[in-house]
Amino acid sequence: MSLSLSPDEPAVPNDATDGVWLECIDCSETFAPFEDVRYTCDACDGLLEVRYADLPTFDDFEGRGVWRYADALPLESGVTTQEGATPLYEVPRLEDDLGLEAVRIKHEGMNPTGSFKDRGMTVGVAVAKELGVDRLACASTGNTSAALAAYGSRGGMQTLVLLPAGKVAAGKVAQASLHGARILEVDGNFDACLDIVQELAAEGEAYLLNSLNPFRLEGQKTIGLEILEAFRDDYGTFPDRIVLPVGNAGNTAALYKAFRELLQAGAIDREDVPKLTGVQAAGAAPMVEAVENGSDEVRRWDDVETRATAIRIGNPVNAPKALPGIRETEGTAIAVSDEEITEAQRDLAGEGVGVEPASAASVAGLRKLRAEGIVTEDERVACLTTGHLLKDPDAAAAAGDDPEPVPATTEGVLEHLTGESRPGR
Ligand SMILES: *Cc1c(COP(=O)(O)O)cnc(C)c1O
Ligand SMILES: [Zn+2]
């Protein structure tokens, strides 16, 4: 099967363009990449993956950001706002507290629109241009819509976003709006929005840029490439584990693909592959359920709820690509409560790293796995934080302390400061 860590060398099909083609992960049918609009396999409706005749090693990369990795991407350049090259922060207090050899935070909130979705969009919107479509669409828990709106406007294209009414953080709606997307608020959850947008796309109304789109995941692979390069440079070795929040499981699938391609290119060895470890909110944890049951099938959860709205997803579309990744890398998946998520958000903020709730799930999951002894003290771990604190100002304000009213005099302020202790402490 193509999704194992030791795949067969691919035979380059006749429909490849410059050594790039699309291949079904289920039946291995191949398709030309840029001729027709296609999101899934014509033959069996399976998920598609971008495949390459030549895969690069680390020596082939040059420059900064997502397009440093152009040799691992389907196009040479994209519609860009200089996404990628995000920081990998040290968090010494958290590292001590968790009792681990190393903990680093890959803060994807430092992308241009404040989430990793930019990495996917710089590639996906460029492919849309290549295909000659003029209207782009997505369903979104918020960040995809912000990124699509920004990259669509940069590329001079119309954008349409479907959002679950009342369940999208304020910063994200504001971004989609100002970048000029038409925002349709759907009376339903994210999964219902995605069902509708897939049908619109199937009818040719718009080009779909959810993570079902195989090109978007190519851009998101670069998160893994950056983490591996940074660990190698700092520690002379790769991380033992990468812990990440899981919604539609696009990143889990994308990181796994990055590892498989590096292995295939001979750039890393089998023992260099980090254990992919997914974290979901307890109120939206179908992937965790599947991993715990050892199942290949993910049961769709119809009722999902969590404060971490970016991962409030009951039907992870990339599960068929992501589950083999978790299994083959000997990783795992775990669910955390909203309280544990908020606690982790505070921990990160206490070291100067501001993230939105979904992002903090990675750290909350790491803490839980460490407490359970599944993550051991000798491990070097990278946690992915997917979005910026300012995305969800309401959640941040609720997790932090309240402002303290004081009189407009120095004396009054001094009196206040020497008086009762800070509220909420
Ligand atoms: C989209 C998103 C996720 C979920 O990522 P998947 O690749 O769909 O699993 C997690 N966190 C944030 C902040 C997001 O925007
Ligand atoms: Zn197929």
Side-chain angles (χ1 to χ4, degrees):
M1 197 179 87
S2 69
L3 293 187
S4 96
L5 268 177
S6 42
D8 302 331
E9 278 304 305
V12 181
N14 292 332
D15 36 20
T17 304
D18 296 330
V20 178
W21 69 97
L22 289 169
E23 191 167 315
C24 174
I25 68 165
D26 290 329
C27 76
S28 302
E29 182 74 34
T30 62
F31 304 95
F34 310 126
E35 270 157 38
D36 311 303
V37 172
R38 174 181 289 109
Y39 314 101
T40 52
C41 176
D42 294 10
C44 78
D45 210 31
L47 296 177
L48 298 177
E49 217 171 46
V50 181
R51 304 273 264 157
Y52 302 89
D54 294 306
L55 289 165
T57 68
F58 290 113
D59 299 333
D60 297 311
F61 302 141
E62 61 177 291
R64 216 181 120 75
V66 167
W67 295 98
R68 168 177 175 75
Y69 304 101
D71 284 353
L73 299 174
L75 296 171
E76 272 159 34
S77 62
V79 174
T80 177
T81 54
Q82 300 183 29
E83 52 292 314
T86 54
L88 186 67
Y89 293 126
E90 293 182 7
V91 279
R93 289 192 288 277
L94 189 61
E95 186 178 278
D96 262 12
D97 191 31
L98 292 173
L100 284 164
E101 179 67 25
V103 178
R104 293 292 198 94
I105 305 295
K106 181 66 171 168
H107 193 12
E108 287 296 300
M110 301 300 279
N111 273 296
T113 78
S115 86
F116 72 82
K117 300 297 195 308
D118 296 352
R119 294 185 189 259
M121 288 303 171
T122 186
V123 177
V125 171
V127 171
K129 285 204 118 162
E130 189 78 25
L131 287 162
V133 300
D134 51 20
R135 183 152 72 168
L136 313 176
C138 70
S140 178
T141 59
N143 284 330
T144 301
S145 69
L148 179 67
Y151 283 80
S153 64
R154 195 152 178 89
M157 295 146 109
Q158 294 173 45
T159 53
L160 183 64
V161 307
L162 280 76
L163 306 179
K167 295 293 183 185
V168 178
K172 307 175 186 181
V173 185
Q175 289 179 289
S177 164
L178 187 59
H179 285 301
R182 276 187 75 177
I183 302 174
L184 307 184
E185 281 195 326
V186 176
D187 180 18
N189 62 22
F190 168 82
D191 303 295
C193 295
L194 185 58
D195 290 345
I196 296 168
V197 88
Q198 273 183 253
E199 277 156 24
L200 291 178
E203 286 176 24
E205 290 293 325
Y207 183 67
L208 178 80
L209 275 163
N210 282 97
S211 57
L212 186 67
N213 185 313
F215 296 109
R216 238 193 67 186
L217 298 186
E218 294 303 289
Q220 291 171 212
K221 280 190 319 200
T222 61
I223 302 172
L225 299 172
E226 284 182 14
I227 293 175
L228 263 52
E229 282 196 304
F231 265 75
R232 188 197 51 180
D233 293 348
D234 289 2
Y235 297 114
T237 173
F238 299 111
D240 300 302
R241 187 182 296 271
I242 298 180
V243 185
L244 74 165
V246 174
N248 267 314
N251 270 335
T252 318
L255 290 173
Y256 182 47
K257 189 165 191 281
F259 304 155
R260 278 185 289 141
E261 290 179 351
L262 288 170
L263 259 176
Q264 207 180 319
I268 59 173
D269 297 324
R270 173 64 189 86
E271 59 272 19
D272 294 328
V273 175
K275 297 180 163 72
L276 277 174
T277 302
V279 187
Q280 292 193 300
M287 282 279 291
V288 175
E289 184 180 69
V291 169
E292 282 175 356
N293 295 341
S295 163
D296 282 338
E297 299 285 310
V298 173
R299 182 176 70 89
R300 178 176 177 142
W301 288 23
D302 287 323
D303 294 306
V304 283
E305 201 48 88
T306 169
R307 187 179 296 165
T309 50
I311 51 173
R312 188 175 169 272
I313 292 171
N315 185 34
V317 295
N318 287 299
K321 291 178 173 176
L323 280 173
I326 290 174
R327 197 170 43 230
E328 294 261 321
T329 64
E330 292 160 37
T332 187
I334 191 165
V336 292
S337 69
D338 280 7
E339 290 67 35
E340 289 166 326
I341 287 172
T342 299
E343 206 47 56
Q345 199 186 10
R346 288 195 191 105
D347 286 346
L348 286 165
E351 292 206 68
V353 182
V355 308
E356 68 165 288
S359 308
S362 58
V363 170
L366 176 61
R367 182 180 289 285
K368 204 163 172 178
L369 289 167
R370 182 74 190 99
E372 291 176 3
I374 295 167
V375 173
T376 51
E377 62 186 359
D378 55 342
E379 289 194 32
R380 293 189 171 95
V381 182
C383 278
L384 201 63
T385 55
T386 40
H388 199 278
L389 177 152
L390 290 173
K391 289 285 195 172
D392 193 343
D394 299 325
D401 292 339
D402 289 336
E404 304 160 49
V406 292
T409 63
T410 307
E411 205 176 47
V413 170
L414 281 171
E415 201 167 293
H416 178 85
L417 288 175
T418 51
E420 93 273 38
S421 61
R422 270 176 83 181
R425 298 255 156 179

